[in-house]
């Protein structure tokens, strides 16, 4: 009888242990599943953050490359304008004459714009008004003489320069078409081609630079004009 009882107790303990083991296994599986799900979520978030970081780095590198390109463009253009002298248009060839006349007009206009807006220097400072609110003050002066320039006069100068640049843009577009025609005319006169061909090609290169710079100059004028309109001074 005792032996039978021991057997029953042993079977009960074995069954209880088995059931407990099963329950632990279920809990472990559930925990493992949740851990796997969390790990997957974290991996997805990390991959997203990494992708965003890579995109930001690419955008920054692209912006830096663009800034360097613009800086080089400005430097090359300024160097050209420093050495530029109006070209004698009389060549006996109609398209060559027309190209040089219009080229001289374009560069004279561009030089005039740079001279008109180049002397304007704007320094921004901030002050508190009677109510304690911060207001923007822009000190506008002549870069060369240090004399004060009225806001209205600066805005007028910027407005006229913007109109001049619009005309210059149209001239540059037309000259891009006139240049090849001028070179075609030179093909009929090898001697003139040797002396004038190089001038036409160098002018075409500078015209292209002008066309690329005009939108940048216009954007600068627009930004300065908008800032001046918001400024609480003269």
């Amino acid at each position: 009888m005792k032996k039978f009882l021991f057997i029953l107790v042993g079977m009960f303990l074995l069954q209880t242990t088995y059931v407990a083991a099963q329950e632990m296994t279920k809990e472990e599986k559930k925990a493992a599943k949740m851990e796997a799900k969390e790990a997957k979520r974290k991996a997805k978030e990390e991959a997203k953050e990494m992708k965003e970081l890579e995109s930001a780095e690419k955008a920054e590198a692209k912006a830096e490359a663009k800034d360097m390109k613009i800086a080089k463009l400005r430097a090359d253009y300024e160097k050209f304008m420093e050495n530029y002298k109006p070209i004698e248009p009389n060549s006996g060839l109609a398209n060559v004459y027309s190209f040089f006349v219009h080229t001289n007009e374009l560069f004279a206009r561009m030089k005039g714009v740079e001279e008109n807006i180049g002397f304007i220097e704007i320094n921004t400072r901030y002050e508190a008004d009677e109510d304690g609110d911060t207001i923007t003050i822009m000190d506008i002066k002549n870069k060369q003489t240090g004399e004060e320039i009225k806001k209205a006069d600066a805005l007028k100068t910027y407005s006229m320069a913007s109109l001049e640049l619009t005309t210059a843009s149209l001239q540059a577009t037309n000259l891009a078409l006139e240049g090849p025609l001028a070179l075609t005319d030179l093909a009929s006169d090898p001697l003139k081609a040797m002396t004038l061909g190089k001038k036409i090609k160098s002018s075409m290169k500078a015209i292209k630079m002008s066309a690329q710079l005009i939108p940048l100059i216009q954007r600068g004028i627009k930004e300065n004009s908008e800032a001046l309109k918001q400024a609480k001074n003269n």
Side-chain angles (χ1 to χ4, degrees), residues 88-189:
E88 171 55 49
N90 294 318
S91 61
L93 301 170
N95 286 324
V96 175
Y97 176 84
S98 177
F99 176 78
F100 283 146
V101 167
H102 294 154
T103 296
N104 289 338
E105 290 176 353
L106 170 64
F107 291 138
R109 177 167 276 108
M110 291 294 291
K111 186 176 181 180
V113 168
E114 291 288 356
E115 289 176 349
N116 288 336
I117 66 175
F119 73 89
I120 300 176
E121 182 176 330
I122 302 174
N123 295 310
T124 305
R125 56 189 172 87
Y126 303 94
E127 293 184 358
D129 61 12
E130 295 178 354
D131 298 324
D133 296 324
T134 301
I135 59 173
T136 302
I137 303 293
M138 288 190 167
D139 296 321
I140 316 165
K141 63 179 182 179
N142 187 310
K143 189 183 296 184
Q144 298 175 350
T145 65
E147 295 179 355
E148 180 184 354
I149 300 174
K150 289 188 176 297
K151 182 168 72 172
D153 292 338
L155 287 171
K156 183 178 179 180
T157 299
Y158 280 140
S159 178
M160 293 176 62
S162 183
L163 291 174
E164 285 288 275
L165 287 172
T166 299
T167 302
S169 182
L170 293 173
Q171 286 181 312
T173 300
N174 291 333
L175 282 165
L177 302 175
E178 290 183 24
L181 294 176
L183 290 173
T184 300
D185 269 10
L186 286 179
S188 62
D189 192 329

Side-chain angles (χ1 to χ4, degrees), residues 41-59:
R41 185 188 67 79
K42 287 184 177 180
K44 189 175 180 180
E45 286 185 355
E46 289 175 359
K48 183 181 178 181
E49 290 175 359
M50 184 63 69
K51 187 175 181 180
E52 290 176 349
L53 180 61
E54 289 176 353
S55 297
E57 288 176 348
K58 287 181 180 179

